[in-house]
Every structure is written in structure tokens, then in C-alpha cells.
């Protein structure tokens, strides 16, 4: 087991004006910081649009203990077309215990832009899984999962397993770590996500019974709407407890789950 004492949170965010361009974070021991920072700078500069601001934060975790978790299993469901991908996602959410009305509301918010002004949010919506009520106090900011990372061994294993499925982009590895942290949140029921990046159409749905189910077409070509919805059972946890866990609790994903793919029409397998 890796020694998690003395870990340091290293975070990067790059922006152009008010627009967030990219971000990344790690939890590493002190001697690894300079290597991580170099990689973060490479990522910040690698985007087509040059940032006019890059913010690096190096923050010891102080006396906060680190929780170690196993990643969700991953299913790469090769469903075809937006309608079929969304049907599969809706079915998985309902099977996990999200009420049909809450599922519809989440899709509707992500389609029209969930922030107060109708654009992308800076974090996730947190929704009551039974009613669809939005619980995050600031509807433009939302709640951001932070302070998490793969352990070195788990990172190597997940990179290998995902590459076997043809999933080599860092986005998938990072989204899986993020969704795995979120899935251990108090009161967690399920999550729905697709990017607001017009060039990226894949998304996922996650729950404890289904694991992380990646779907290739969650929106139409060129669409710039997207976001994240985290569904919670408010009888188990209120928004302040969920927010504290997501934003502040350090989490290391130290083991991977099973990773597999299925062809079109296999959505039912995700919930069996
Ligand atoms: N989207 C849009 N804006 C963001 C943002 C995001 N993901 N993250 C930060 N910002 C902007 C916001 O304007 C924010 O102000 P707000 O709190 O009023 O919204 C401001 O930057 C400061 O945010 P802060 O949370 O203090 O930034 P940070 O430097 O501590 O962390 C990130 C930035 C990008 C690292 C963090 O938000 C994040 O998304 N972490 C997850 C990254 C990830 O996937 N890691 C995988 C590890 S395996
Ligand atoms: P992305 O996949 O990075 O395009 O993110 C999709 C959406 O998830 C964004 O539009 C935000 O609403 C939200 N988001 C971004 N970063 C985080 C985070 N760290 N935690 C929770 N939600 C986030």
C-alpha cells in the first residue's frame, strides 16, 4: 500500500479572460512536484487557444487523512447515435434509483446549459434523486470534485486496461477517477455527464450498480451545451456534507475495477 501521509495537492487552471480553458490536479509527495508542474504547464500551453493566465496551487493536505478507494468498473458501451445513447443512460439512471422526472430534468438542464445564464457551469449540479430539485447554492458555480488522484500502480493498470479498449485520451482516465471519487460521496445515487466542449461528444453515466458506463454520443455534432448532474439521496446526506466531501476530502483511487466493452444494443447488460 502506498504511503499517503505527506501528500501535497498540486492544481493547475488555465483561463483566457473569464473563460476556463483547462485544469488538472494531482496528489503527490514533495519530490514529485516539479515534474507534475512541468506536465501541467505542457497541458496548459498545448490547447489551441493560448491562456492569458495559468494558476498553479501547491497545498499540503495538512492533517486531513486520505481515503483510499477502488475505481468504478468501466463499461464502454458502443451504442450508436444520440437517441440510443441517451436511452441507455436514462435506463441506467432509473435502475440506480433516480426518479424518471429527475432524469428528464437533468437532461433538460444539460441540453440548455445548466448555469443561471444558460451556459456551462463551473462545476456540477447536485440534484435530489427523487424530485430533481437542484440543491447547489450557486447555480452557475455548482460543486467541484477536487483533491483526488490515482495511485501510481492503479494509474499504470488503468492506462493499460483503457488502452486495450482503445481509450487512450487522458480525459477518460481523469473522468473515471473523478466519477469514482463522486461515487463514494455520502448519499450518492448516480451521476450523468457530458462535456460542454463542442468537439467532444462522449459522456458517461455512473452508479454503484452499473459502474462507469461510457457512451460515445451524448450530444449532437458541434453542440456546446453540457455539464454534470450528481444525484443524491437527501435522506442520507445534505448538500453541505456532499459539498465538503467532493471539494475537500482527499481521495486516492488505489485499485482499478473491471474494464470491458459491449457493442450496440447491449445497454441492459449495464444494469444486470
Ligand atoms: N471549470 C470552470 N472554471 C473553473 C474550474 C472548472 N473546472 N475550476 C476552477 N475554475 C475557475 C473558477 O472561476 C473558480 O472560481 P469559483 O470557485 O468561483 O468557481 C476559480 O477558477 C478558482 O477555482 P478553485 O477551485 O480555487 O481552483 P483550483 O485551482 O483549486 O482547482 C481545478 C482547479 C481545475 C484543478 C479543479 O477545479 C478541478 O476541476 N479538479 C479536477 C481535475 C481532474 O479531473 N483531475 C483528475 C485527477 S486524476
Ligand atoms: P468537462 O468534461 O471537463 O468538459 O466538464 C463537463 C462539466 O462538468 C463542466 O461543464 C462543468 O459543469 C463540470 N465540471 C468541471 N470540472 C468539474 C469538477 N472538478 N467537478 C465537478 N464538475 C465539474
Amino acid at each position: 500500500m502506498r504511503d499517503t501521509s505527506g501528500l501535497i495537492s498540486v492544481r493547475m487552471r488555465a483561463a483566457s479572460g473569464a473563460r476556463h480553458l483547462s485544469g488538472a490536479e494531482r496528489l503527490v509527495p514533495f519530490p514529485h512536484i516539479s515534474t507534475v508542474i512541468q506536465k501541467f504547464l505542457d497541458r496548459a500551453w498545448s490547447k489551441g487557444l493560448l491562456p492569458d493566465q495559468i494558476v498553479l496551487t501547491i497545498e499540503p493536505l495538512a492533517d486531513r487523512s486520505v481515503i483510499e478507494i477502488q475505481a468504478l468498473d468501466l463499461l464502454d458501451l458502443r451504442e450508436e447515435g444520440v437517441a440510443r445513447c441517451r436511452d441507455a443512460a436514462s435506463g441506467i439512471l432509473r435502475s440506480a434509483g433516480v426518479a424518471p422526472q429527475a432524469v428528464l430534468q437533468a437532461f433538460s438542464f444539460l441540453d440548455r446549459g445548466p448555469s443561471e445564464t444558460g451556459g456551462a457551469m463551473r462545476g456540477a449540479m447536485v440534484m435530489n434523486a427523487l424530485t430533481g430539485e437542484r440543491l447547489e447554492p450557486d447555480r452557475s458555480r455548482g460543486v467541484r470534485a477536487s483533491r483526488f488522484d490515482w495511485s501510481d500502480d492503479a494509474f499504470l493498470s488503468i492506462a493499460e486496461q483503457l488502452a486495450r479498449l482503445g481509450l487512450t485520451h487522458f480525459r477518460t482516465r481523469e473522468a473515471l477517477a473523478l466519477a469514482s471519487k463522486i461515487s463514494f460521496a455520502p448519499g450518492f445515487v448516480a451521476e450523468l455527464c457530458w462535456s460542454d466542449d463542442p468537439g467532444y461528444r462522449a459522456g458517461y453515466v455512473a452508479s454503484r450498480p452499473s459502474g462507469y458506463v461510457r457512451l460515445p454520443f451524448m450530444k449532437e455534432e458541434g453542440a456546446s451545451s453540457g455539464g454534470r448532474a450528481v444525484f443524491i439521496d437527501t435522506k442520507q446526506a445534505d448538500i453541505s456534507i456532499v459539498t465538503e466531501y467532493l471539494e475537500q476530502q482527499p481521495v486516492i483511487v488505489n485499485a482499478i475495477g473491471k474494464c470491458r466493452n459491449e457493442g450496440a444494443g447491449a445497454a441492459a447488460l449495464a444494469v444486470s
Side-chain angles (χ1 to χ4, degrees):
M1 191 190 289
R2 124 172 172 163
D3 178 13
T4 53
S5 62
L7 288 181
I8 293 168
S9 169
V10 185
R11 305 192 294 278
M12 178 280 290
R13 59 188 163 88
S16 173
R19 188 170 157 227
H20 176 78
L21 296 180
S22 68
E25 66 177 79
R26 299 286 315 271
L27 293 176
V28 292
F30 184 79
H32 293 197
I33 291 177
S34 53
T35 312
V36 167
I37 286 178
Q38 186 56 56
K39 287 192 174 150
F40 284 179
L41 291 177
D42 291 345
R43 187 187 293 192
W45 285 110
S46 71
K47 284 269 188 174
L49 197 60
L50 279 186
D52 56 29
Q53 186 189 47
I54 299 174
V55 179
L56 292 164
T57 303
I58 299 170
E59 187 178 66
L61 296 177
D63 54 0
R64 278 211 77 136
S65 60
V66 177
I67 294 178
E68 296 184 68
I69 64 168
Q70 176 171 359
L72 290 167
D73 291 347
L74 176 137
L75 172 62
D76 179 24
L77 196 53
R78 297 180 173 176
E79 207 50 86
E80 287 158 10
V82 176
R84 291 177 67 111
C85 287
R86 288 188 173 199
D87 273 358
S90 301
I92 293 164
L93 289 172
R94 290 197 302 270
S95 296
V98 183
Q101 159 199 357
V103 174
L104 284 175
Q105 295 219 33
F107 273 95
S108 160
F109 278 124
L110 294 200
D111 266 337
R112 66 174 188 254
S115 86
E116 209 85 79
T117 52
M121 288 173 70
R122 308 197 297 281
M125 298 188 283
V126 181
M127 298 179 87
N128 181 320
L130 293 183
T131 64
E133 181 196 358
R134 285 178 64 170
L135 305 168
E136 73 280 6
D138 180 336
R139 288 184 172 210
S140 293
R141 180 185 190 276
V143 175
R144 276 194 302 275
S146 184
R147 294 163 178 79
F148 60 98
D149 199 352
W150 294 99
S151 69
D152 293 343
D153 289 349
F155 179 84
L156 290 175
S157 306
I158 200 66
E160 188 186 320
Q161 290 300 312
L162 294 180
R164 212 174 38 84
L165 302 177
L167 302 171
T168 50
H169 201 287
F170 66 79
R171 262 178 190 277
T172 315
R173 296 190 294 270
E174 294 188 356
L176 177 59
L178 189 148
S180 298
K181 174 174 181 179
I182 290 178
S183 76
F184 278 83
F188 172 79
V189 177
E191 186 197 347
L192 171 69
C193 172
W194 70 82
S195 177
D196 50 275
D197 179 343
Y200 195 75
R201 298 173 72 193
Y204 67 85
V205 59
S207 73
R208 308 286 311 163
S210 67
Y212 178 108
V213 182
R214 181 181 190 273
L215 291 149
F217 305 112
M218 289 301 283
K219 64 179 185 182
E220 300 297 342
E221 184 104 51
S224 59
S225 59
R228 274 196 164 82
V230 178
F231 300 94
I232 64 163
D233 176 352
T234 54
K235 291 196 200 78
Q236 287 186 49
D238 69 16
I239 182 68
S240 59
I241 290 173
V242 174
T243 303
E244 211 284 329
Y245 168 83
L246 292 178
E247 299 194 342
Q248 301 297 334
Q249 174 62 53
V251 168
I252 291 286
V253 187
N254 71 356
I256 70 168
K258 294 191 201 84
C259 299
R260 65 195 173 106
N261 58 26
E262 292 288 347
L269 292 171
V271 290
S272 59

